[in-house]
Amino acid sequence: MQTINQLLMIVTLMLIWLSLFISFVMLSGAIHFWFKNSHRIIETPALSRYPLITVVVPAHNEEIVIENTTRALLALNYPKDKVELLLYSDNSTDHTADRMRQAFADEQHAGRNYKIIERTGTGGKAGVLNDSLKIARGEFIAVYDADAMPEKNALYFLVQKALENPDRYMAVFGRNKTRNADQNYLTRFINQEIMVSQRIQHIAMWHMFKIGRIPGTNFIIQRDFVDSIGGWSDGALTEDTDISFKIMQSGKLIALAYNSEAFQQEPEHLKDYYFQRLRWAKGNYQVVLDNFKNLFNKSNWRVKFETFYFTSTFFIFNSAVILSDIIFLVNFGFMIWSWFDPNTQMPFTFTQGNTQISQVLVFNWLLMILLYMLQISIALASQFGQTTAKSVRIALASYFTYSQLFIIVSVHAVLQVLMDKIFKRNGTRWVKTKRFED
Amino acid sequence: MINFFYFFSIAVSIIFFIIMLVLLYFMWIIYDRVETTKVNLHLRELKARGDLNAND
């Protein structure tokens, strides 16, 4: 029993080392990118051509945010006659469509090419996107969520990147920033997490491996390609990841236009956050399960790499964290019990040399905290005005609170995915993220 | 086995620690570029993106 326990501890530590190694690779890639780009002057020269873009906005009960988003879309720095706006009020029971119309009421928007469609069909967001394919005239489809306010040049940068290599770049995606970052501690934590994922992970994946992943919003995709694969997967939790894999499988690329930015709203209450992340985590586990076979077949190397990355992040790393937490909690429980019964032995020990090994484990724990802080600090350092003493304190606080919450979300998501499989339940129920007034 | 694991883990931990110090140094260089010497360039970047009022 003692040997099994010791092996379990060694395996856990090695899994954590593997995670550390992967993080170092990503950080190195991101640092190299920022070394090359943090001093560049960004200019917006005229493009060689301006393809017609169909901007699709799926909105389900979004009366709180849709007007501002529509106004931001109308203000995009892109020729007005080259933008076709398709705004879908999808099964809304509030005033979403009215708010959309209100945004167009201004005289300056007379003559804009737009349609406001009050949809009653099924399929959620994927259903809306598939419906839009039937009427869209654009060469590219741009997708913006109802809460995503693009910056003026967001679409320009996406198209600029797409035109760099139209034969290979089937889709181009930008970055998202938190619109309500300073609302409370939860949104501050989320803001830092988003910055790490956008300014470290996305950047590093594109810079080193030319791998991109279509996010839910602020991206364009070649219309012909979407037609060729039969549109979006209806009702899937992971329609964006699904289409990303299809692009990579065909040997094409999803390019990152890192200057294209849109502001999106993040949950302000813990409950809303929990269910949003639960849905995302379930989607990600689903992606791993659906694509695991790609590791062993003749798939494109980028698909294999992406599957490996997903697997290591969502299975290996999470398993390591959960195992080490269990080991810690069990030992801690036995330690408390030993105060009442001195004969109690802790189950996870190395007997001789126990003190030294404990020191190594504590040192590795400190390394993990340092790595966590380092990732956030590098992401913050790459953006003007973000590195402050307060943001560093928030990063440290989030390690002990916010990031630990994700363990609960992960376990919950794994259990739900397993239950869905065992009982053949439909686990793709969409839980709408709650919106807030700006 | 425990002795081997002990020394191996110390070696790996030290290597990781050194890598982190190097990355920390690089972070400082990026911070310095973005925050001090390149402030004006960054403001121009914000202007080019049409977003001088961005909240980050």
Side-chain angles (χ1 to χ4, degrees), chain A residues 13 17 24 35 38-39 42 151 153 177 179 259 261 350 356 360 364 367 374 377 383-387, chain B residues 2 5-6 8-9 12-13 16 20 23-24 27 31 33-35 42 45 48-51 55-56:
Chain A
L13 187 60
W17 283 342
F24 282 144
F35 257 62
S38 61
H39 60 285
I42 310 299
E151 286 180 352
N153 290 312
K177 297 193 288 194
R179 185 161 150 180
N259 281 315
E261 296 185 320
F350 285 98
Q356 289 98 318
V360 173
N364 272 270
L367 279 182
L374 193 64
S377 305
Q383 182 123 14
F384 174 70
Q386 284 281 328
T387 311
Chain B
I2 295 303
F5 176 66
Y6 175 58
F8 180 70
S9 54
V12 172
S13 306
F16 278 155
M20 269 194 223
L23 292 179
L24 199 66
M27 184 205 85
Y31 170 79
R33 277 189 183 186
V34 171
E35 294 285 331
H42 192 84
E45 178 189 333
R49 291 201 313 242
D51 187 36
N55 74 356
D56 67 349

Side-chain angles (χ1 to χ4, degrees), chain A residues 52-54 81 83-84 86 113 115 132-141 223:
Chain A
L52 180 65
I53 311 289
T54 299
D81 58 326
V83 177
E84 176 188 44
L86 298 180
N113 180 0
K115 282 193 183 80
S132 73
L133 282 178
K134 293 170 196 160
I135 53 171
R137 295 185 305 111
E139 190 179 327
F140 288 89
I141 307 282
R223 188 243 164 80

